[in-house]
Amino acid sequence: MTDAPRPAGVTPPVAVVFATATFLALAIGGLGVASLVFDADVIPVRGLGPLPGVAGMLLALLVFAGVLLWGLRAVPPGYLTAVPCAVGVYVGETLGIAIGAAVTGGDAARGLAAAGAVALGWPGVVIAGSGLLAGAFGVLLVRSRSDRPRWRWERDDDDDQ
């Protein structure tokens, strides 16, 4: 092993991967809990099947990863990068539901009604909030200046022993 110094923080591509996984976990968990609390379906329109919801989440994931990667180009990236992430996942989820309903051969009116219900109801707030938190987490990963954990005997200073 070499003792060469590592760059401070996490690289932007790695931060995007971790933040995207965090977004997915927050969104799915948040939608599930809110659905139980409100005793309502995430997509209240009947007859569409599960594919429009899946398409919406996939498009939201792609938009989140792209916007966050774009926002992490700045040195150092700002926490306001999380705001475009939230807006992007909100729009991506809504458009993905409408596109997914159209691709599966469902009624266009039902697809637009489902997209509108998600955009104007509590699911849109949950998706946008998840994007905001996960975007801030991605920026935090890049801005952190931490080093790997070390055992006591690996440290150079005698003060810690």
Side-chain angles (χ1 to χ4, degrees):
M1 291 185 128
T2 64
D3 288 333
R6 283 184 5 190
V10 177
T11 63
V14 173
V16 168
V17 169
F18 283 130
T20 303
T22 301
F23 165 70
L24 183 63
L26 285 173
I28 290 175
L31 288 173
V33 169
S35 177
L36 287 174
V37 168
F38 295 131
D39 194 25
D41 291 333
V42 175
I43 299 179
V45 178
R46 302 281 182 219
L48 289 177
L51 292 180
V54 172
M57 190 57 70
L58 285 176
L59 186 59
L61 275 172
L62 291 174
V63 169
F64 177 80
V67 169
L68 185 61
L69 188 60
W70 173 79
L72 293 179
R73 293 181 309 152
V75 179
Y79 287 103
L80 285 178
T81 302
V83 174
C85 289
V87 172
V89 297
Y90 178 80
V91 172
E93 178 76 16
T94 305
L95 285 177
I97 289 173
I99 292 169
V103 168
T104 58
D107 186 16
R110 286 184 187 206
L112 289 177
V118 168
L120 298 176
W122 58 267
V125 175
V126 171
I127 293 292
S130 300
L132 186 72
L133 289 173
F137 175 66
V139 173
L140 178 73
L141 284 174
V142 172
R143 290 179 64 121
S144 68
R145 301 286 182 227
S146 62
D147 197 11
R148 69 175 178 88
R150 295 180 183 267
W151 294 101
R152 281 190 203 179
W153 57 84
E154 290 181 310
R155 296 186 189 136
D156 291 334
D157 11 335
D158 292 329
D159 298 336
D160 292 336
Q161 296 178 4

